[in-house]
Amino acid sequence: MINILKKIREERGMTQEEVAKSSRIALRSYQYYEKGKRIPDVYTAIRIADALKIEDVRKLFGAATPDIEKKPDGNPAK
């Protein structure tokens, strides 16, 4: 996660401050996510993905992000 989040942010030419502001989260929180010290909840992950123009939040956070297309029991959402 660390390398992916930072790499995409840098590819977009954005600073940590810009991503945090666009995601409506504290800069320190974003820095923790980028360093891998914390994993954001799904709603925060979606806001970060939106700020970075990423359509699939799992590209940023992988298996750490719940599949929002499935119910907690693993069955597909309807």
Side-chain angles (χ1 to χ4, degrees):
M1 173 175 69
I2 300 166
N3 294 330
I4 296 170
L5 190 55
K6 183 177 180 179
K7 180 181 176 200
I8 292 173
R9 175 182 59 78
E10 289 176 343
E11 285 174 357
R12 302 294 190 267
M14 297 178 77
T15 64
Q16 290 180 333
E17 293 85 358
E18 291 169 331
V19 176
K21 184 176 180 179
S22 182
S23 302
R24 300 180 316 275
I25 59 175
L27 173 60
R28 177 57 82 198
S29 293
Y30 178 78
Q31 291 170 333
Y32 283 148
Y33 302 146
E34 192 170 287
K35 290 179 182 180
K37 291 184 178 183
R38 291 188 187 157
I39 297 173
D41 62 61
V42 70
Y43 302 105
T44 302
I46 289 168
R47 290 197 315 263
I48 292 170
D50 286 345
L52 293 171
K53 309 279 191 273
I54 302 296
E55 290 185 22
D56 188 351
V57 69
R58 291 172 289 184
K59 289 182 182 178
L60 291 178
F61 300 102
T65 306
D67 187 344
I68 59 175
E69 299 298 319
K70 292 184 180 178
K71 295 179 185 177
D73 63 7
N75 292 318
K78 294 184 180 186

